[in-house]
Amino acid sequence: MRNTFGRVFAITTFGESHGKGLGVIIDGCPAGVEIDEDFIRSEMQRRKPGQSKITTQRKEEDEFQILSGVFEGKSTGTPISIVILNTDQKSKDYSHIADKFRPSHADYTYHHKFGVRDYRGGGRSSARETAARVAAGAVAKLMLRSFGVTVQAYVSQAGPIKLEKHYSELDLTLTERNIVRCPDPELAEKMIAYIDEIRKDRDTVGGVVSCVAAGVPPGLGEPVFDRLHAALGHAMLSINAVKGFEYGSGFEGVQMRGSEHNDAFYKEGDRIRTRTNHSGGIQGGISNGEDIYFRVAFKPVATIMQDQESVNEAGESTVVSGKGRHDPCVVPRAVPIVEAMCALVLADFLLLNRLSKL
Amino acid sequence: MRNTFGRVFAITTFGESHGKGLGVIIDGCPAGVEIDEDFIRSEMQRRKPGQSKITTQRKEEDEFQILSGVFEGKSTGTPISIVILNTDQKSKDYSHIADKFRPSHADYTYHHKFGVRDYRGGGRSSARETAARVAAGAVAKLMLRSFGVTVQAYVSQAGPIKLEKHYSELDLTLTERNIVRCPDPELAEKMIAYIDEIRKDRDTVGGVVSCVAAGVPPGLGEPVFDRLHAALGHAMLSINAVKGFEYGSGFEGVQMRGSEHNDAFYKEGDRIRTRTNHSGGIQGGISNGEDIYFRVAFKPVATIMQDQESVNEAGESTVVSGKGRHDPCVVPRAVPIVEAMCALVLADFLLLNRLSKL
Amino acid sequence: MRNTFGRVFAITTFGESHGKGLGVIIDGCPAGVEIDEDFIRSEMQRRKPGQSKITTQRKEEDEFQILSGVFEGKSTGTPISIVILNTDQKSKDYSHIADKFRPSHADYTYHHKFGVRDYRGGGRSSARETAARVAAGAVAKLMLRSFGVTVQAYVSQAGPIKLEKHYSELDLTLTERNIVRCPDPELAEKMIAYIDEIRKDRDTVGGVVSCVAAGVPPGLGEPVFDRLHAALGHAMLSINAVKGFEYGSGFEGVQMRGSEHNDAFYKEGDRIRTRTNHSGGIQGGISNGEDIYFRVAFKPVATIMQDQESVNEAGESTVVSGKGRHDPCVVPRAVPIVEAMCALVLADFLLLNRLSKL
Amino acid sequence: MRNTFGRVFAITTFGESHGKGLGVIIDGCPAGVEIDEDFIRSEMQRRKPGQSKITTQRKEEDEFQILSGVFEGKSTGTPISIVILNTDQKSKDYSHIADKFRPSHADYTYHHKFGVRDYRGGGRSSARETAARVAAGAVAKLMLRSFGVTVQAYVSQAGPIKLEKHYSELDLTLTERNIVRCPDPELAEKMIAYIDEIRKDRDTVGGVVSCVAAGVPPGLGEPVFDRLHAALGHAMLSINAVKGFEYGSGFEGVQMRGSEHNDAFYKEGDRIRTRTNHSGGIQGGISNGEDIYFRVAFKPVATIMQDQESVNEAGESTVVSGKGRHDPCVVPRAVPIVEAMCALVLADFLLLNRLSKL
């Protein structure tokens, strides 16, 4: 198990879906960051279940407590611990899946790897773990504020419905105005209708979250292995249900010629800038001062309200039946998670860059 | 700078394109691995420049020496160091680019981050660094042999020419039979012709490398942050020119419904298997025993034989002119690099998995 | 800040003396360890304040909760989180020291390093943090049980009163029979009387804790930098108030000649053993199967009930007056802390050693 | 194996005593450090064998090459690799010890751990590995220069002959004036005579190296686990033959009372200082601006020119006979090694401290 992410602004998450609680330790947040608990709470609201008709109807209050690392409203440089108690851990009946492997879930692989697993609600493999990431990401965002760095994600695809516009053509302040978190209001309506239909079919569908980080200074990234985009990719691929990551021109860019793809340099006032930004703000693994942008693919949620073929721990054929309340499409609630992980990476690399020169 | 990759089978690479030498330290290779120098040499041959008309015509012999960690043909558990001296470091004239920032290269970002850079051939940011990775990856492959794990990559797209077939429909033994390393002989011819044309245009183009790992036992992966695919993504995105990574159903899979996408479990003899493999052999971040497969997007090579707008260190407008011998398309030579990084990740996680249970 | 210890059996502690709570995350405990909460509780009782007349009279109940990582009494391979809420954080008056630097405490250095500090009870620098280590160490001991490894520490010196006997001449089962935790009952009485006298003088004194690990298999240790004794030394020197560490023949051994000091090998049944054990069970940084033993020096507690010269944050001369309830000598309560850190190191290295051979 | 030391100024050493070569990669040296090769060479001269009649008469030239990371005389922020080829690896006859375990050497433990070992000259466990550390330490010293930090070690005990004076009473510029590296000229003579006598007895003896770091700014140290002295202790205990470490008042200090031991604060000009320095310049694990000082115990060298009882790989009784040229006492040559490891720790923590505050 490897539950720590980050080299100097490092988080360690813990907790199972239906255990007593979960949370995160942030070790390496510098002293002096204003810790605005209301902001953390508002970020967690964006992720929590039960927000709208297109998310799961489960209720989780996600009340958190900061146990350490903050004194008189500011970080002290010591570990910040944030704990979320699972108030609602009533002993639901899990006997119907306790010894079955749900298809495309982590049941079989955890069982094989550890010989034991907490089967309640997916245990450690549940996306509930991301609540801790969002809390930590909110702290990272509070630190990034001091540097003028902002991170904004949005839904750019839900199933086959795809936002073709480039982020620079969008008004990202509209993202939070609709329940699917797509900044194009018209397309948002279509996505909502589509997801709702999927939900009624007792099925699920995938989607794509796009993310833009602005105000990132040049110099962030630690080649050759911790190129900035490699760390961002690692962060995104560590989120439940993610199947792909691309930045800048991404997979589409492979068809371009170098002469179109290269970003010409020019001087704008004091800044060295590029005329295009196929590089996605990262060159040689290091930020160049332009906007960083990337896309993250999420698979359809594995829990469906249908019967599925499977086997149990004894290796016998069985059927897994859908039960409970689940998301028909994960991307609306994934938006704050993608932002959180992006903010954590940028906070880490902002600090690391202080070590580059004598 | 972060030049170490891997947690227990860890490599550290060093060296610049035109310095005295480069190489790699492998720390954590278990004792008892047969170190077949001929195999390492043959892997390095696959990467080296000057192989064919569609790669750079530069000559680099890549003769290596193992300085430590091997005794009587076997690894001893101590660090294996492999050094490649740059025999041909004749003082070429770099004055035409010494103070200019080549578009979409790492010149500007390194200069900004470190205040100083070795401008000869790109210095540390040169893809020459991957020679060290291929050497280390060959050692990882030698270890994987003992576990029956194989790793095979191939070119699945060059510019717009795309291999639509699934890897399971291909005969991967054909990959090395043509200079573009595409296992579909007909398409290979088209790719070669296309790349050659691009080369004549003094331009470059991108491509995609696909990779399959077979024989991987269930249990590899260290959630929540070091999910197996997150480590693979990190590894791939750390390779020069990579812009995207997807595994299993990837970006395409987002359009699928959960009911199609889920991989039903069944029993085949003693093994628990899945009827489909949209999961790409990884569930919950842990291998499930099916084939692991993924795709890696490479951008068009930044060095083109054309004049480009840029600025110099003083911030003045300037023109960068193409010179020298470079690859029109990087993917044929990227195949062994992708395999090497994949093998390194698998070796690392095979060892880590020994720690899962009491 | 660096609040993580261990490479694969890794702990991260958090929490301040007078904040809302403190605790520890254990990441890397293998699945299948029986987690006996009563045992953890009994270990914490050995450390807690208010045990006897020669320890501080402060009351701290140290009630802990395991929030995650354990299912049906066994570790699951996911992070084990243990939280201790500070029930008694009544707003004591700290105004008398809030801006003063207590001599030989961490007040000045934390203030300088972070620009801010939680001055209540020493904040993060308080020895209260070791409660979390003892909890984690108890889990490590539970794992070590399965391997037949035991760890026993005892007080071998309190101020000038020194136990001259070698550990092999002592009956270590007597250690817990007296309040100073010295296995020599007569000397224990002397130590107790001495410490009580020091306490009445409103002063403090230092001491030495010795520790023996038995049943450690050969092969533990990761040279060249993570020699077993280097990790043990690091662990011990990370405990509050520790000033020195020696193992085997230690500082005394420097006067010996090689011909006396060398431990001759012989065969005893199936085992290769040494006739003497000046090596302290460790050769070349790796355990050799003999008992591991070492000694840890603790300075006199810095908090004394006397007036002391100092300066305040403004740099003005001031006087710090002793107040509150503190230990006259730290070693009796340090015994379980030394054991805990030793157990954590051994658990880590037992796992790491699984990676040595193919 | 764990061959990397340091968190951000990190070194990885490699190489065996009688392999093709050894060396070190420094990853994390900031850009802009002037790399004075003559200084590195002079440091290596201080460690190399054959310096005087009281060191081994073996000849090793220790000619090194810097392969990367330096451009136009300065570090570039990329990995600095230093390689020392073993020019004199003539195939000596090792058959007399190839399958025998030399007492108090690492032969048995390496054999047990790895199942294989390079028995030539101790292989990886040879103190020859420290040549790489001295080279890296020289680079760390060059960086420390810019911060006004100096590190000076000296021999304070050889066998029973002990320098009782405190470092502040000594003229440390005299250290290098005699072959035993003791700054007290009279005592140096006695030590030399004593060691020479031991040598004639075909025996060996231990000793103590003391070390002082001056000019260290306040704020260095990363509690709770990477307290500055814990990292120094780890560093020292990772050196071959070290059996103990103490700093400040050390083991002697345990007998003191808190009222004597505490270091009162006062103001001297702009600086906050302490009237005494029992803390050894470190409080709460963080430097306070006073001199840092510590002592390191070295055991008698295990190789003696006498017959010793042992067993071989087959578990049969055997006799190991002394042969070859070895040091009668390791401390004179250990002085630059202690300094190197101290400099590496300080360089690492100077950089880490840049991360403490917003």
Side-chain angles (χ1 to χ4, degrees):
Chain A
M1 295 291 291
R2 178 64 173 166
N3 297 282
T4 295
F5 186 80
R7 285 183 60 216
V8 297
F9 190 108
I11 66 167
T12 303
T13 71
F14 59 90
E16 276 80 39
S17 176
H18 287 64
K20 285 193 190 157
L22 70 156
V24 63
I25 311 303
I26 307 167
D27 192 16
C29 180
V33 176
E34 294 208 35
I35 303 301
D36 176 346
E37 294 203 20
D38 289 337
F39 177 71
I40 301 173
R41 192 164 290 113
S42 67
E43 288 293 282
M44 294 187 70
Q45 292 288 336
R46 294 172 68 206
R47 193 213 69 96
K48 84 167 188 182
Q51 294 174 42
S52 76
K53 67 177 179 181
I54 59 166
T55 66
T56 171
Q57 298 305 302
R58 246 184 1 257
K59 294 288 179 210
E60 289 165 7
E61 276 316 311
D62 290 354
E63 274 303 322
F64 66 91
Q65 275 200 75
I66 300 180
L67 297 186
S68 65
V70 179
F71 188 60
E72 298 177 345
K74 289 198 175 176
S75 63
T76 60
T78 66
I80 299 173
S81 55
I82 305 179
V83 171
I84 303 158
L85 293 178
N86 283 334
T87 47
D88 172 34
Q89 34 157 334
K90 57 181 174 230
S91 59
K92 260 206 266 180
D93 187 8
Y94 280 95
S95 58
H96 65 298
I97 55 157
D99 73 339
K100 293 178 183 175
F101 301 135
R102 291 169 300 159
S104 290
H105 271 280
D107 298 345
Y108 168 59
T109 53
Y110 269 66
H111 179 78
H112 192 285
K113 185 178 184 71
F114 298 112
V116 56
R117 74 197 154 90
D118 180 348
Y119 48 74
R120 300 167 303 168
R124 181 68 180 152
S125 72
S126 164
R128 180 143 176 69
E129 182 263 343
T130 58
R133 302 188 186 201
V134 170
V139 174
K141 281 186 173 182
L142 289 167
M143 176 182 140
L144 293 181
R145 267 189 200 171
S146 319
F147 295 89
V149 177
T150 59
V151 176
Q152 282 176 285
Y154 59 92
V155 170
S156 55
Q157 188 170 351
I161 304 174
K162 190 171 175 180
L163 179 51
E164 301 286 355
K165 286 180 197 150
H166 191 250
Y167 79 89
S168 57
E169 302 166 78
L170 298 166
D171 176 358
L172 297 186
T173 66
L174 302 179
T175 304
E176 296 292 317
R177 302 250 177 108
N178 58 65
I179 58 176
V180 79
R181 293 201 168 92
C182 172
D184 180 318
E186 271 179 67
L187 209 69
E189 285 313 306
K190 286 186 195 159
M191 286 177 176
I192 293 165
Y194 179 76
I195 295 173
D196 204 36
E197 193 184 314
I198 291 285
R199 184 182 62 78
K200 287 174 188 155
D201 285 354
R202 307 175 67 81
D203 214 333
T204 61
V205 76
V208 174
V209 174
S210 293
C211 186
V212 185
V216 178
L220 273 51
E222 302 294 323
V224 293
F225 292 111
D226 285 356
R227 284 170 151 93
L228 181 52
H229 55 272
L232 287 168
H234 189 149
M236 298 306 143
L237 289 157
S238 79
I239 300 172
N240 304 51
V242 170
K243 301 299 290 270
F245 169 87
E246 59 181 2
Y247 79 103
S249 60
F251 276 89
E252 299 258 317
V254 307
Q255 306 200 26
M256 293 170 78
R257 290 184 167 216
S259 53
E260 310 164 72
H261 190 274
N262 282 357
D263 297 317
F265 285 111
Y266 71 105
K267 198 78 181 280
E268 186 181 84
D270 275 351
R271 277 179 64 192
I272 289 177
R273 302 210 45 185
T274 63
R275 296 215 181 269
T276 48
N277 186 16
H278 297 118
S279 299
I282 304 173
Q283 292 178 326
I286 298 170
S287 62
N288 67 358
E290 300 296 321
D291 289 344
I292 289 169
Y293 65 97
F294 57 85
R295 300 172 77 243
V296 186
F298 289 80
K299 71 170 187 174
V301 174
T303 304
I304 56 176
M305 298 298 99
Q306 303 178 17
D307 284 358
Q308 296 178 85
E309 176 190 8
S310 191
V311 298
N312 63 17
E313 291 183 9
E316 299 157 340
S317 289
T318 186
V319 169
V320 169
S321 306
K323 243 176 119 171
R325 296 152 299 176
H326 295 274
D327 287 282
C329 180
V330 82
V331 284
R333 289 177 55 212
V335 164
I337 305 169
V338 165
E339 288 181 4
M341 293 306 298
C342 179
L344 286 162
V345 169
L346 293 175
D348 202 26
F349 282 76
L350 264 167
L351 293 173
L352 284 168
N353 194 34
R354 293 183 180 174
L355 312 177
S356 301
K357 291 177 202 163
L358 187 58
Chain B
M1 295 291 292
R2 177 65 173 166
N3 297 283
T4 296
F5 186 80
R7 286 183 60 215
V8 296
F9 190 106
I11 66 166
T12 303
T13 71
F14 60 89
E16 277 80 39
S17 176
H18 287 64
K20 286 195 190 155
L22 69 156
V24 62
I25 311 303
I26 307 167
D27 191 16
C29 181
V33 176
E34 293 208 36
I35 304 300
D36 174 347
E37 294 203 20
D38 289 336
F39 177 71
I40 301 174
R41 192 164 290 113
S42 67
E43 287 293 283
M44 294 188 71
Q45 292 288 338
R46 294 172 68 207
R47 192 212 70 96
K48 85 167 187 182
Q51 295 173 41
S52 74
K53 66 177 179 181
I54 60 167
T55 66
T56 172
Q57 298 305 303
R58 250 187 354 262
K59 295 285 178 213
E60 290 165 6
E61 276 316 311
D62 290 354
E63 273 304 320
F64 66 91
Q65 275 201 76
I66 300 180
L67 296 187
S68 64
V70 179
F71 187 60
E72 297 176 347
K74 289 198 175 178
S75 63
T76 59
T78 67
I80 299 172
S81 55
I82 305 180
V83 171
I84 304 158
L85 294 178
N86 283 333
T87 46
D88 172 34
Q89 34 158 335
K90 57 180 173 234
S91 59
K92 259 206 266 178
D93 187 9
Y94 281 94
S95 58
H96 65 298
I97 55 155
D99 73 338
K100 292 178 186 176
F101 301 135
R102 291 169 300 159
S104 290
H105 271 279
D107 297 344
Y108 168 59
T109 53
Y110 269 66
H111 179 78
H112 192 284
K113 184 177 184 72
F114 298 111
V116 57
R117 74 195 154 90
D118 179 347
Y119 48 74
R120 299 167 303 169
R124 180 68 180 152
S125 72
S126 164
R128 179 142 176 71
E129 181 264 342
T130 58
R133 302 187 185 201
V134 170
V139 174
K141 281 185 173 182
L142 290 167
M143 175 182 140
L144 292 181
R145 267 190 200 171
S146 318
F147 295 88
V149 177
T150 59
V151 177
Q152 282 176 285
Y154 59 91
V155 170
S156 55
Q157 188 169 351
I161 305 173
K162 190 172 174 179
L163 178 53
E164 301 287 356
K165 287 182 198 147
H166 191 252
Y167 78 88
S168 55
E169 303 167 76
L170 297 166
D171 175 359
L172 298 186
T173 64
L174 303 179
T175 303
E176 295 292 318
R177 302 249 178 109
N178 57 66
I179 58 176
V180 79
R181 295 201 167 92
C182 171
D184 179 318
E186 271 179 66
L187 210 68
E189 286 312 307
K190 286 185 194 160
M191 288 177 175
I192 293 165
Y194 179 76
I195 295 172
D196 204 36
E197 191 183 317
I198 291 286
R199 184 181 63 77
K200 287 174 189 154
D201 285 355
R202 307 175 67 81
D203 214 334
T204 61
V205 75
V208 175
V209 174
S210 293
C211 186
V212 185
V216 178
L220 272 52
E222 301 295 321
V224 294
F225 292 111
D226 285 356
R227 284 168 150 94
L228 181 52
H229 55 270
L232 287 169
H234 189 148
M236 297 307 143
L237 288 156
S238 80
I239 300 171
N240 303 49
V242 171
K243 300 300 289 275
F245 170 85
E246 59 181 3
Y247 79 103
S249 59
F251 276 90
E252 298 258 318
V254 308
Q255 306 199 26
M256 293 170 79
R257 290 185 168 215
S259 52
E260 311 165 69
H261 190 274
N262 282 356
D263 297 318
F265 284 112
Y266 72 105
K267 199 76 182 281
E268 187 182 84
D270 275 350
R271 277 179 65 192
I272 289 176
R273 302 211 43 185
T274 62
R275 295 217 181 268
T276 49
N277 185 15
H278 298 118
S279 298
I282 304 173
Q283 292 178 325
I286 298 170
S287 62
N288 66 358
E290 301 296 321
D291 288 344
I292 290 170
Y293 65 97
F294 57 85
R295 298 171 78 244
V296 187
F298 289 81
K299 70 169 187 175
V301 174
T303 304
I304 56 177
M305 298 299 100
Q306 304 179 16
D307 284 357
Q308 296 178 86
E309 177 190 8
S310 191
V311 298
N312 63 18
E313 292 184 9
E316 299 156 341
S317 289
T318 186
V319 168
V320 169
S321 305
K323 245 177 117 169
R325 297 151 298 176
H326 295 274
D327 289 281
C329 180
V330 83
V331 285
R333 288 177 55 213
V335 164
I337 305 169
V338 165
E339 288 180 4
M341 292 307 297
C342 179
L344 286 162
V345 169
L346 293 175
D348 202 25
F349 282 76
L350 265 168
L351 292 174
L352 285 167
N353 193 34
R354 294 183 179 174
L355 312 176
S356 301
K357 292 176 201 164
L358 187 58
Chain C
M1 295 290 292
R2 177 66 173 166
N3 297 281
T4 296
F5 186 81
R7 286 183 60 216
V8 297
F9 191 107
I11 65 167
T12 303
T13 71
F14 59 89
E16 277 79 40
S17 176
H18 287 64
K20 285 193 190 157
L22 69 156
V24 63
I25 311 303
I26 306 166
D27 193 15
C29 180
V33 176
E34 293 208 36
I35 304 300
D36 175 348
E37 294 203 20
D38 289 337
F39 177 71
I40 300 174
R41 192 164 291 111
S42 67
E43 288 293 283
M44 293 187 70
Q45 292 288 337
R46 294 172 68 206
R47 192 213 70 96
K48 84 167 187 183
Q51 295 173 39
S52 75
K53 67 177 180 181
I54 59 166
T55 67
T56 172
Q57 299 304 303
R58 246 183 4 256
K59 294 287 178 209
E60 288 165 8
E61 275 316 310
D62 290 355
E63 274 304 321
F64 66 92
Q65 274 201 75
I66 299 180
L67 296 186
S68 65
V70 179
F71 187 60
E72 297 176 344
K74 289 199 175 178
S75 63
T76 60
T78 66
I80 299 172
S81 55
I82 304 179
V83 170
I84 303 158
L85 294 178
N86 283 333
T87 47
D88 172 34
Q89 35 157 334
K90 58 180 174 231
S91 59
K92 258 206 268 180
D93 187 8
Y94 281 95
S95 58
H96 65 298
I97 55 156
D99 73 339
K100 292 180 185 175
F101 300 135
R102 291 170 299 159
S104 290
H105 271 278
D107 298 345
Y108 168 60
T109 52
Y110 269 66
H111 179 78
H112 192 282
K113 185 177 183 71
F114 298 112
V116 57
R117 73 194 155 92
D118 180 345
Y119 47 74
R120 299 168 303 169
R124 180 68 179 153
S125 72
S126 164
R128 180 144 176 68
E129 181 263 341
T130 58
R133 302 188 186 200
V134 170
V139 175
K141 280 186 174 182
L142 288 167
M143 176 182 140
L144 292 182
R145 269 190 199 169
S146 318
F147 296 88
V149 176
T150 59
V151 176
Q152 283 176 285
Y154 58 92
V155 170
S156 55
Q157 187 169 351
I161 304 174
K162 190 171 175 181
L163 179 52
E164 301 287 355
K165 286 180 198 151
H166 192 252
Y167 79 88
S168 56
E169 302 166 76
L170 297 167
D171 176 358
L172 297 186
T173 66
L174 302 179
T175 304
E176 295 292 318
R177 302 248 177 110
N178 58 66
I179 59 177
V180 78
R181 294 202 167 93
C182 172
D184 180 318
E186 272 178 67
L187 209 70
E189 285 313 306
K190 286 186 194 159
M191 287 177 177
I192 292 165
Y194 179 76
I195 295 173
D196 205 35
E197 193 184 314
I198 290 286
R199 183 182 62 78
K200 287 174 189 155
D201 285 354
R202 306 175 69 78
D203 214 334
T204 61
V205 76
V208 174
V209 174
S210 293
C211 186
V212 185
V216 178
L220 273 50
E222 301 294 322
V224 293
F225 292 112
D226 286 356
R227 284 168 151 95
L228 181 52
H229 55 271
L232 287 168
H234 189 148
M236 297 307 143
L237 289 156
S238 80
I239 300 172
N240 303 51
V242 171
K243 301 300 289 273
F245 169 86
E246 59 181 1
Y247 79 103
S249 59
F251 276 90
E252 299 258 318
V254 307
Q255 306 199 27
M256 293 170 78
R257 291 186 167 213
S259 52
E260 311 164 69
H261 191 273
N262 282 356
D263 297 317
F265 284 112
Y266 72 104
K267 199 79 181 282
E268 185 181 85
D270 275 350
R271 278 179 64 192
I272 289 176
R273 300 209 48 184
T274 62
R275 296 217 181 267
T276 49
N277 186 15
H278 297 118
S279 298
I282 304 173
Q283 292 177 326
I286 298 170
S287 63
N288 67 357
E290 301 296 320
D291 288 343
I292 289 170
Y293 64 97
F294 57 85
R295 300 172 76 245
V296 187
F298 290 80
K299 71 170 186 174
V301 174
T303 304
I304 55 176
M305 298 299 100
Q306 303 179 17
D307 284 357
Q308 295 178 86
E309 176 190 8
S310 191
V311 298
N312 62 17
E313 292 183 9
E316 299 156 341
S317 289
T318 186
V319 168
V320 169
S321 306
K323 246 177 116 169
R325 296 153 300 177
H326 294 274
D327 289 283
C329 181
V330 83
V331 284
R333 289 176 56 212
V335 164
I337 305 169
V338 165
E339 288 180 4
M341 293 306 297
C342 179
L344 286 162
V345 169
L346 294 176
D348 202 25
F349 282 76
L350 264 168
L351 293 173
L352 284 167
N353 194 34
R354 294 184 180 173
L355 312 176
S356 301
K357 291 176 201 162
L358 187 58
Chain D
M1 296 291 291
R2 177 66 172 164
N3 297 282
T4 296
F5 186 81
R7 285 184 60 215
V8 296
F9 191 108
I11 65 167
T12 302
T13 71
F14 59 90
E16 277 80 39
S17 177
H18 286 65
K20 285 196 191 155
L22 70 156
V24 62
I25 311 303
I26 306 168
D27 191 15
C29 180
V33 176
E34 293 208 36
I35 304 301
D36 175 346
E37 295 204 20
D38 288 336
F39 177 71
I40 300 173
R41 192 164 291 113
S42 67
E43 288 291 283
M44 293 187 71
Q45 292 287 336
R46 294 172 68 207
R47 192 211 71 94
K48 84 166 187 182
Q51 294 173 41
S52 75
K53 67 176 179 182
I54 59 165
T55 66
T56 171
Q57 298 305 303
R58 245 184 1 258
K59 294 288 178 208
E60 290 164 8
E61 276 316 311
D62 289 355
E63 273 304 321
F64 66 91
Q65 273 201 77
I66 299 179
L67 295 186
S68 64
V70 179
F71 188 59
E72 296 176 347
K74 290 197 175 181
S75 64
T76 60
T78 65
I80 299 172
S81 55
I82 306 179
V83 171
I84 304 157
L85 295 178
N86 283 333
T87 46
D88 172 33
Q89 33 158 336
K90 57 179 175 235
S91 59
K92 258 206 270 181
D93 187 9
Y94 281 94
S95 58
H96 65 299
I97 54 157
D99 74 339
K100 292 179 185 176
F101 301 135
R102 291 169 300 159
S104 291
H105 271 280
D107 297 345
Y108 168 61
T109 54
Y110 269 66
H111 179 78
H112 192 284
K113 185 178 185 71
F114 298 112
V116 57
R117 74 196 155 89
D118 180 346
Y119 48 73
R120 299 167 303 168
R124 180 67 180 154
S125 72
S126 164
R128 180 142 177 70
E129 181 264 342
T130 58
R133 301 187 186 202
V134 170
V139 174
K141 281 186 173 182
L142 289 167
M143 176 183 140
L144 293 181
R145 267 190 200 171
S146 318
F147 296 89
V149 177
T150 58
V151 176
Q152 282 176 286
Y154 59 92
V155 170
S156 54
Q157 188 170 350
I161 304 174
K162 190 171 175 180
L163 178 53
E164 301 286 355
K165 286 181 198 150
H166 191 251
Y167 78 88
S168 55
E169 303 167 77
L170 297 166
D171 176 359
L172 298 185
T173 64
L174 302 180
T175 303
E176 296 292 318
R177 301 250 178 109
N178 57 67
I179 58 176
V180 77
R181 294 202 168 93
C182 172
D184 179 320
E186 271 178 68
L187 210 68
E189 286 312 305
K190 286 186 194 160
M191 287 178 176
I192 294 164
Y194 179 75
I195 296 172
D196 205 35
E197 192 184 316
I198 290 287
R199 184 181 63 78
K200 287 174 188 154
D201 286 355
R202 306 174 69 80
D203 214 333
T204 61
V205 76
V208 174
V209 173
S210 293
C211 185
V212 185
V216 179
L220 272 51
E222 302 294 323
V224 294
F225 292 112
D226 285 356
R227 285 168 150 94
L228 181 51
H229 55 270
L232 287 169
H234 189 147
M236 298 307 144
L237 288 156
S238 79
I239 300 171
N240 304 49
V242 171
K243 300 299 289 272
F245 169 86
E246 59 181 1
Y247 79 102
S249 60
F251 276 90
E252 299 259 317
V254 308
Q255 307 201 26
M256 293 171 79
R257 291 185 167 215
S259 53
E260 309 164 70
H261 190 274
N262 282 356
D263 297 318
F265 284 112
Y266 72 104
K267 198 76 182 278
E268 186 182 85
D270 276 350
R271 278 179 65 191
I272 289 176
R273 302 210 45 184
T274 62
R275 294 214 183 270
T276 49
N277 186 16
H278 297 118
S279 297
I282 303 173
Q283 293 178 326
I286 299 170
S287 62
N288 67 358
E290 301 296 322
D291 288 344
I292 289 170
Y293 65 97
F294 57 85
R295 300 172 76 243
V296 187
F298 289 81
K299 70 169 187 176
V301 175
T303 305
I304 56 176
M305 299 298 100
Q306 304 179 15
D307 284 356
Q308 297 177 85
E309 175 190 9
S310 191
V311 298
N312 63 16
E313 291 184 10
E316 299 156 341
S317 290
T318 185
V319 169
V320 170
S321 307
K323 241 176 121 168
R325 296 152 300 175
H326 296 273
D327 288 282
C329 180
V330 83
V331 285
R333 289 176 56 212
V335 164
I337 305 169
V338 166
E339 288 181 5
M341 293 307 296
C342 179
L344 287 162
V345 169
L346 294 175
D348 201 25
F349 282 77
L350 265 168
L351 293 173
L352 284 168
N353 194 35
R354 292 183 179 174
L355 312 175
S356 302
K357 292 177 201 163
L358 188 58

